[in-house]
């Protein structure tokens, strides 16, 4: 999949079948839309293209009005969104910076400058609640009329439901906020996943719970930065880690701001996914994971983040979390078969 920031670049397709949206989570409703988009693109012999925005428009307006509470919780990082779009067969994604200029652009100018002259849209597919342009003044009727006048087709896709439940990013956020990882996986069509490069921290984990001989083999963690300050999920989870060994590794992870640690920590104030593999791959050594891209499936929430009084209490808490994660994996259904089933259910 080709990825462009903005549309003034060589190599961008001259013509495309286009859909527009934030695609946070790339859930099953998004997947159904992308399947239709790919079919229409093949029929027209043009590339399928997704136009998405970074930051999320609601993030932009929350900052502009100094009301952070208006910003939506983020399901996935930009990396994970692009990975899923590629997995769905999209040929080209354009990431458009959402800024003051774009927020002030009229619907008519958006159609003319972005869709027609910028992206060469021959077909535009939108959701049933699609609005665009300054003050969200543009709607499906306006887009359809413009398409008839300027020579591109416009289609609208109704809501996608699973067992009578409308699949939406809001529904995924609600499931993740409640710690209902099974419901989130049903809506997503896959386990909830966060991926990224393993970054350095204070290396405190390897000291916590280290053996009396001083081997430094305590709760070593893989640290992934979650680029948004407001993740849809938070807390302590039983997880599977992909990318370090031939088979996924069971582990326990903390997604959040680590309230028990010094705020002046090297990653202080940032949301991190800190994952401890229950069995560290011997071939990696102490430093072998840094810089690697790993993918972490959050399968089961153990509890919310806790603030511990001191490192001894923190060590005991982590040890209990590890024991609880082991108990979960000992009694949970076969996750290989679960992943096969969710893959079969995907659109």
């Amino acid at each position: 999949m080709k990825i462009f920031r903005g549309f003034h670049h060589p190599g961008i397709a001259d013509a495309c079948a286009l859909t527009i949206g934030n695609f946070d989570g790339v859930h099953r409703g998004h997947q159904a839309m992308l399947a239709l988009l790919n079919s229409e693109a093949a029929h027209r012999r043009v590339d399928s293209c997704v136009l998405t925005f970074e930051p999320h428009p609601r993030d932009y307006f929350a900052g502009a009005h100094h009301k952070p509470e208006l910003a939506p919780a983020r399901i996935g990082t930009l990396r994970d969104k692009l990975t899923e779009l590629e997995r769905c067969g999209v040929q080209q994604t354009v990431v458009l910076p959402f800024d003051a200029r774009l927020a002030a652009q009229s619907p008519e100018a958006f159609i003319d400058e972005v869709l027609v002259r910028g992206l060469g849209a021959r077909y535009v597919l939108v959701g049933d609640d699609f609005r665009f342009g300054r003050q969200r003044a543009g709607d499906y009727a306006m887009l359809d009329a413009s398409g008839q006048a300027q020579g591109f087709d416009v289609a609208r896709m109704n809501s996608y439901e699973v067992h009578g439940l409308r699949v939406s990013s809001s529904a995924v956020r609600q499931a993740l906020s409640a710690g209902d990882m099974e419901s989130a996986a049903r809506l997503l069509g896959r386990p909830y996943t966060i991926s990224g490069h393993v970054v350095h921290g204070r290396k405190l984990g390897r000291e916590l719970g280290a053996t009396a001989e001083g081997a430094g083999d305590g709760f070593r963690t893989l640290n992934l930065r979650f680029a948004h300050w407001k993740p849809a999920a938070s807390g302590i989870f039983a997880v599977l880690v992909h990318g370090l060994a031939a088979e996924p590794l069971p582990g326990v992870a903390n997604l959040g701001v680590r309230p028990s640690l010094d705020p002046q920590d090297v990653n202080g104030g940032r949301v991190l996914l800190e994952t401890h593999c229950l069995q560290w791959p011997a071939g990696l050594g102490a430093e072998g994971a840094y810089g690697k891209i790993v993918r972490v499936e959050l399968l089961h929430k153990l509890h919310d983040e806790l603030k511990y009084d001191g490192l001894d209490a923190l060590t005991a808490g982590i040890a209990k979390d590890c024991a609880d994660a082991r108990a979960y994996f000992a009694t949970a259904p076969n996750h290989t078969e679960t992943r096969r089933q969710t893959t079969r259910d995907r659109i």
Side-chain angles (χ1 to χ4, degrees), residues 290-307:
Y290 293 116
K292 288 185 177 295
I293 296 177
V294 300
R295 180 166 56 90
V296 182
E297 293 180 0
L298 283 66
L299 300 176
H300 173 71
K301 184 169 180 176
L302 299 174
H303 59 80
D304 290 332
E305 279 194 294
L306 300 174
K307 183 173 176 59

Side-chain angles (χ1 to χ4, degrees), residues 208 308-318:
L208 295 175
Y308 294 99
D309 295 327
L311 294 182
D312 288 344
L314 175 60
T315 300
I318 296 174

Side-chain angles (χ1 to χ4, degrees), residues 26 52 106 150 170 180 245 254 317 329:
V26 194
T52 191
S106 70
Q150 300 193 56
S170 294
D180 187 349
N254 183 106
F329 284 112

Side-chain angles (χ1 to χ4, degrees), residues 92-236:
Q92 172 180 284
T93 293
V94 175
V95 182
L96 202 59
F98 197 92
D99 53 18
R101 180 184 179 280
L102 190 59
Q105 192 173 44
S106 70
E108 296 84 358
F110 180 79
I111 292 170
D112 184 56
E113 296 177 19
V114 179
L115 304 191
V116 176
R117 290 192 285 142
L119 296 173
R122 298 290 182 268
Y123 169 88
V124 180
L125 175 65
V126 296
D128 54 5
D129 57 354
F130 180 68
R131 305 292 295 230
F132 65 101
R134 183 174 58 241
Q135 297 182 337
R136 292 169 53 83
D139 59 10
Y140 176 80
M142 177 186 290
L143 185 62
D144 187 43
S146 295
Q148 293 183 51
Q150 300 193 56
F152 60 88
D153 295 329
V154 178
R156 175 169 53 187
M157 188 165 179
N158 292 328
S159 299
Y160 186 85
E161 295 186 357
V162 174
H163 301 304
L165 173 66
R166 181 178 184 270
V167 179
S168 66
S169 295
S170 294
V172 177
R173 292 186 189 106
Q174 290 171 4
L176 292 175
S177 177
D180 187 349
M181 309 311 288
E182 290 186 1
S183 291
R186 283 194 295 270
L187 293 166
L188 292 168
R190 64 187 185 278
Y192 177 58
T193 302
I194 296 172
S195 67
H197 286 92
V198 179
V199 300
H200 289 272
R202 282 177 56 188
K203 300 179 174 59
L204 177 64
R206 67 184 64 184
E207 299 174 16
L208 295 175
T211 59
E213 289 78 14
D217 57 354
F219 302 113
R220 181 187 288 111
T221 59
L222 307 165
N223 302 323
L224 307 184
R225 288 177 182 149
F226 191 91
H228 196 265
W229 63 275
K230 191 177 180 181
S234 64
I236 314 302

Side-chain angles (χ1 to χ4, degrees), residues 27-104:
H27 53 63
R28 291 177 69 176
H30 293 144
Q31 293 161 31
M33 177 174 281
L34 295 171
L36 176 56
L37 179 74
N38 289 331
S39 176
E40 293 290 344
H43 176 68
R44 289 167 172 77
R45 298 183 180 179
V46 295
D47 284 358
S48 59
C49 178
V50 167
L51 175 62
T52 191
F53 307 99
E54 191 65 33
H56 192 296
R58 286 169 58 192
D59 278 349
Y60 168 80
F61 288 114
H65 294 99
H66 306 289
K67 293 183 177 180
E69 68 275 10
L70 297 179
R74 187 66 65 90
I75 298 170
T77 64
L78 180 59
R79 170 190 290 278
D80 288 325
K81 180 197 297 189
L82 295 173
T83 297
E84 289 303 319
L85 290 176
E86 182 175 33
R87 196 192 309 274
C88 289
V90 174
Q91 294 167 291
Q92 172 180 284
T93 293
V94 175
V95 182
L96 202 59
F98 197 92
D99 53 18
R101 180 184 179 280
L102 190 59

